[in-house]
């Protein structure tokens, strides 16, 4: 008697559970291929990095004795030490940091100044200059490769740090301007007006009022410039001669294929890790800005 | 906060500009004036404005000998070259040795560009692609110092006679051209067929003397699922196989004439170049070559041999320096001559080795706007390097094959000494075309061989392409 | 008032960037059209005017047309793989309930890596001696079936004429997938949720929902992605260069690498510039054509 009244909710509960279970199962079944595909790709990216890491932690002789699939039997950091010192990866690393930081700071500053003028100041010829800057977006970089090389050569700039900076500063200018002008245009005028009334001069208006407001836009530009500079390959390939000025991308290329260091794969893998880690950390820290900035950049351009 | 960051940023900018601005200071300012003449020509007048040197009363300025090294300063080779530099400075107080690194396969290009721009290094240590005397573009442009007069003078140790006499005949063949001497050999390389002794014993194979025997061995290995032919990978290494087959078919003189466009009656469309192409393709079609033979990583291709994954490797003796770290301790291998072809045995002596010298070239300091460089010091450095006793020391520490007469061979290639002792003919690989033809011919030939080896073109098409490229070559 | 104050900044702000841009950015592009009509080896004091000779040389240069052919292969191969797969991945990521952030993060990792690193990674992964791939296939007994399936006598991924080009396309797919997936995700995020809900209430689901709602609304994104793929595809350089260590075989030679080799190895600077003028014309033509084609289709929608 008492059982009947208690069983019914239990049965209902069981039915509900079963229903929910079936739903879960169905959902899981429909989503399984999605998970499989996405998972496989994600795994390939992660495993590739782990493989490079493992390879960099074993002596080279082991690689040839046990093959690429074997885990290191003897763990060593010697490859990193050798790569850093002997193979000049330390020098390349320093150069890469220099090119990335100076290239980024310079081009962001240049683009911010220029974008501010073009976005907020009315003066004769403004539109003409604006379009002049945008022309470059249409032209593939290879067109000017040879004339620009000889321009730099005649200026005595080939094989200097400055040439890398100059090309970084001007290379991304058009695109950065395009992004930042759009950004500055969205800022309200009232702030500038009231700053002027408070006695600020033009520089103060720009530096103290507008630039802080433009920070999100500047951050986007900066992150992209930095990642681009970190990975830059062609400019140093064309303009640099002296290996002591090479960035990592070019230095590793030389280490990999120059017969000087053949068969020192594990050291090369150590060099690769040193190249990957900073950019990976930056990516994981600034993930949101990078993914958002990316879509802003690409979809507008 | 943001202000701080911005300030910091602007300081960084300024610092960057300063760093960058300092870099070009060392180079003289070049003023280029461009004016249009007759609408059809641009004449570039290059005026070099020299830096005014402020000479304070100090000891006489030292003369720089800048050594552009293919090796890193911390490598065994680099350390030896620097040690020699110290010795040079100790013996010649007026010389100042400077070591600059130019690593990588394309480094020679970089160094040559520096020379063209009037700021050459003094000594360049090149690999096989480096400065070749006689016909190279750099030679023609007058960028390379002619060592003929110095070579006629005494060696570092006058007891050894004149400098030129200290070198082996094979090396002299490459160094001398029309009475000029283009470079000092750093070492010499001979190419040999390396074979895996364990695999040969396991399958009861005999060391091949003819191409047919090599192919028969390859068939046995293939049946047992072992790759036979290794040593490709890099475009040029595939070409080595073609060169060698052709050498066996044509003989040295006719092949030299063909490669260097010396005789209009010898053409690529002749029977031998076609047959050589067919033989190469045949070998690949039968599946005897290792997977990466065309287009793989060439170091990996070499490693494959030393780890027992492929039975043969046709490669230069330089390989030992590259793979020394990875050879398993119990690995047994032998070296032999490249096989002859049945029916063509009379064309070449069986005991012949292809080879070349790695070179130390000197750039004309006269080209340089910088007066502080010294060709004399460069010559002294190279004399020191090629001294017989010093070479013997270098060979024992670095293990290369010396180009100086009477220096013992390296111990790490069993049997190579015997091959050299019995050698009846030495011949240069396809680099010999540098002597007479423009350098792009070689990369074009490599392109064609890759197309051939990857069965994109037929042997007939290959020889036709070669002929077309040769017709166009200067 | 404000404008008058701000105008003080025009010269100091615009001056440097405009000067740099005109001299380094824009001028060499214009100069290129003259260079294309000359012959110069970088050594001689004289740059010789040769008229259209470089262009007639180009017409007869079979290596160049081989490179053009390969470039077209890579561009089309990348478009037909990357476009649908990245769209699919974007939809899959939207559809899964868990791990969305994780997939977004990991999928983008290959895209942040330097092309040089990606190239090394694959050179080594695919190498028959030290790589992971071929030994694994052999262990699984798949080597022979795969050879038969592909109709090749060796699994020489980067060297076999039948495999080299598809392999490079797949490497590009691996590296580019994250980037384009994120672009599509951004596009999908812009589609108003109410619209999709309304469509679902009307009974649209699965393919119908995609065909009639998602696809047309996503069209601007698709257009952008297509344009980026074309422009980047035609200009591919670093991957091909780094995969081969500069010794590029004619099997994978592309326009950009051939231009680089012509200029800096063969020292035919005038001819190289003529080739880059041609490359520019191709990029511009493709941009216009693809814009026009997709525009028409967008109207049909």
């Amino acid at each position: 008697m008492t059982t009947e009244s208690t069983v019914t909710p239990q049965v209902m509960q069981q039915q509900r559970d079963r229903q929910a279970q079936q739903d879960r199962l169905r959902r899981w079944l429909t989503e399984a291929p999605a998970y499989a595909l996405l998972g496989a790709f994600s795994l390939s990216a992660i495993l590739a990095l782990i493989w490079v890491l493992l390879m960099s932690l074993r002596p080279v002789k082991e690689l040839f004795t046990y093959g690429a699939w074997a885990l290191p039997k003897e763990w060593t950091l010697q490859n990193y030490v050798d790569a850093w010192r002997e193979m000049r990866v330390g020098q390349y690393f320093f150069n890469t940091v220099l090119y990335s930081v100076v290239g980024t700071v310079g081009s962001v500053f240049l683009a911010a100044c220029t974008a501010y003028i073009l976005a907020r100041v009315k003066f004769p010829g403004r539109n003409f200059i604006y379009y002049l800057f945008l022309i470059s977006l249409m032209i593939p970089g290879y067109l000017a490769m040879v004339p620009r090389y000889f321009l730099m050569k005649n200026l005595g700039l080939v094989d200097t740090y400055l040439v890398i900076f100059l090309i970084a500063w001007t290379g991304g200018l058009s695109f950065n301007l395009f992004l930042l002008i759009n950004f500055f245009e969205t800022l309200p005028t009232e702030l500038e007006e009231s700053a002027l009334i408070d006695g600020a001069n033009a520089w103060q208006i720009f530096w103290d009022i507008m630039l802080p407001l433009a920070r999100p836009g500047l951050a986007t530009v900066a992150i992209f410039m930095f990642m681009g500079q970190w990975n830059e390959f062609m400019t140093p390939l064309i303009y640099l001669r002296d290996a002591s000025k090479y960035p990592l991308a070019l230095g590793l290329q030389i280490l990999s294929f120059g017969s000087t260091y053949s068969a020192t794969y594990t050291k090369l893998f150590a060099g690769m890790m040193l190249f990957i880690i900073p950019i990976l950390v930056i990516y994981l820290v600034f993930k949101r800005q990078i993914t958002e900035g990316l879509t802003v950049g690409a979809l507008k351009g | 906060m943001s202000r701080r960051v911005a300030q910091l940023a602007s300081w960084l900018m300024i610092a960057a500009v300063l760093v960058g601005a300092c870099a070009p200071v060392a180079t003289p300012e070049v003023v280029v004036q461009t004016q249009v003449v007759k609408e059809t020509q641009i004449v570039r007048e290059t005026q070099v404005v020299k830096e005014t040197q402020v000479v304070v009363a100090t000891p006489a300025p030292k003369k720089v000998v800048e050594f552009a090294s293919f090796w890193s300063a911390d490598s065994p080779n680099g350390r030896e070259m620097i040690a020699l530099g110290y010795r040079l400075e100790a013996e010649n107080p007026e010389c100042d040795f400077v070591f600059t690194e130019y690593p990588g396969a394309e480094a020679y290009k970089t160094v040559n560009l520096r020379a063209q721009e009037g700021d050459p290094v003094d000594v360049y240590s090149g690999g096989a692609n480096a400065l070749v005397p006689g016909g190279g573009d750099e030679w023609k442009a007058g960028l390379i110092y002619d060592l003929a007069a110095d070579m006629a003078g005494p060696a570092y140790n006058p007891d050894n006679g004149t400098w030129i006499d200290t070198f082996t005949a094979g090396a002299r063949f490459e160094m001398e051209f029309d009475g000029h001497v283009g470079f000092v050999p750093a070492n010499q390389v001979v190419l040999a067929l390396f074979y895996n002794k364990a695999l040969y014993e396991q399958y009861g194979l005999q060391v091949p003397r003819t191409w047919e025997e090599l192919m028969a061995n390859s068939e046995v290995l293939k049946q047992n699922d072992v790759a036979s032919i290794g040593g490709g990978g890099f475009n040029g290494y595939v070409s080595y196989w073609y060169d060698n087959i052709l050498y066996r078919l044509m003989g040295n003189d006719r092949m030299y004439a063909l490669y260097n466009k010396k005789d209009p009656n010898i053409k690529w469309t002749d029977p031998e170049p076609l047959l050589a192409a067919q033989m190469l393709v045949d070998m690949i079609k039968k599946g005897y070559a290792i997977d990466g033979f065309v287009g793989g990583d060439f170091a990996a291709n070499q490693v494959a041999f030393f780890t027992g994954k492929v039975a043969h490797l046709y490669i230069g003796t330089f390989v030992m320096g590259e793979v020394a770290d990875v050879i398993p301790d119990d690995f047994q291998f032998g070296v032999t001559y490249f096989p002859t072809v049945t029916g063509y045995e009379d064309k070449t002596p069986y005991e012949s080795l292809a080879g070349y010298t790695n070179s130390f070239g000197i750039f004309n300091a006269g080209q340089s706007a910088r007066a502080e460089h010294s060709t004399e010091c460069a010559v002294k450095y190279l004399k020191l390097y090629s001294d017989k006793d010093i070479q013997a020391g270098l060979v024992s520490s670095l293990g290369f094959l010396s180009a100086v007469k009477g220096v013992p061979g390296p111990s790490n290639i069993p049997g190579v000494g015997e091959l050299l002792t019995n050698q009846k003919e030495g011949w240069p690989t396809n680099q010999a075309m540098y002597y007479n033809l423009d350098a792009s011919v070689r990369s074009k030939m490599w392109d064609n061989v890759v197309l051939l080896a990857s069965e994109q073109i037929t042997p007939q098409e290959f020889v036709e392409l070669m002929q077309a490229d040769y017709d166009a070559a200067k | 008032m404000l404008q008058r104050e701000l105008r003080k900044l025009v010269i100091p702000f615009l001056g440097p960037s405009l000067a740099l841009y005109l001299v380094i950015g824009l001028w060499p592009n214009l100069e290129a059209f003259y260079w294309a009509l000359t012959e110069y080896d970088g050594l001689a004091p004289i740059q010789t005017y040769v008229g259209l000779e470089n262009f007639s040389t180009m017409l007869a240069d079979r290596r160049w047309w081989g490179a053009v052919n390969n470039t077209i292969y890579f561009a089309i191969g990348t478009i037909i793989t990357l476009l649908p797969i990245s769209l699919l991945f974007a939809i899959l990521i939207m559809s899964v309930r868990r791990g969305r952030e994780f997939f977004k993060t990991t999928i983008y990792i290959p895209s942040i890596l330097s092309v040089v690193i990606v190239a090394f990674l694959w050179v080594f992964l695919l190498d028959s001696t030290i790589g992971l791939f071929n030994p694994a296939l052999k262990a699984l007994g798949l080597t022979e079936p795969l050879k038969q399936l592909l109709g090749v006598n060796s699994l020489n991924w980067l060297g076999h004429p039948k495999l080299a080009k598809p392999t490079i396309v797949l490497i590009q797919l691996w590296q580019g997938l994250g980037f384009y997936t994120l672009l599509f995700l951004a596009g999908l995020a812009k589609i108003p949720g109410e619209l999709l809900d309304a469509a679902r209430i009307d009974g649209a689901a699965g393919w119908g929902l995609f065909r009639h709602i998602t696809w047309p609304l996503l069209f601007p994104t698709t257009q952008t992605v297509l344009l980026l793929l074309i422009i980047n595809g035609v200009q591919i350089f670093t991957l091909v260069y780094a995969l081969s260590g500069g010794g590029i075989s004619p099997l994978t030679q592309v326009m950009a690498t051939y231009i680089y080799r012509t200029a800096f190895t063969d020292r035919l600077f005038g001819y190289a510039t003529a080739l880059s003028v041609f490359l520019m014309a191709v990029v511009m033509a493709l941009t216009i054509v693809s814009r026009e084609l997709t525009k028409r289709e967008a109207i049909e929608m």
Side-chain angles (χ1 to χ4, degrees), chain A residues 42 122 132 136 142 202 294, chain C residues 3 5 17 21 106 132 179 235:
Chain A
S42 294
K122 293 187 188 71
L132 202 61
S136 284
Y142 300 104
L294 160 101
Chain C
Q3 283 297 321
E5 178 63 25
S17 65
Y21 173 71
T106 48
L132 287 178
F179 178 76
Q235 300 189 65

Side-chain angles (χ1 to χ4, degrees), chain B residues 40 116 291 294 454 456 469, chain C residues 43 49 62-63 156 161 267:
Chain B
T40 56
Q116 287 154 31
D291 278 353
V294 183
S454 53
Q456 291 297 95
D469 283 337
Chain C
L43 286 172
Y49 179 84
R62 64 192 154 78
R63 287 187 174 78
N156 176 12
R267 264 185 257 142

Side-chain angles (χ1 to χ4, degrees), chain C residues 258-299:
Chain C
Y258 190 75
I259 291 173
Y260 176 80
R261 162 176 145 170
T262 307
F264 293 100
T265 305
D266 297 347
R267 264 185 257 142
L268 301 168
F269 290 106
Y271 181 45
T273 312
L275 296 180
S276 53
V277 167
F278 179 84
L279 174 63
M280 185 212 65
V282 170
V283 170
M284 291 219 159
L286 284 175
T287 310
I288 293 165
V289 167
S290 71
R291 280 237 165 102
E292 286 303 310
L293 284 179
T294 49
K295 201 189 276 172
R296 214 172 297 141
E297 200 160 318
I299 294 162

Side-chain angles (χ1 to χ4, degrees), chain A residues 214-229:
Chain A
R215 225 180 313 172
L218 296 180
T220 305
V221 170
I223 289 168
F224 276 88
M225 280 305 294
F226 189 89
M227 290 178 62
Q229 284 303 302

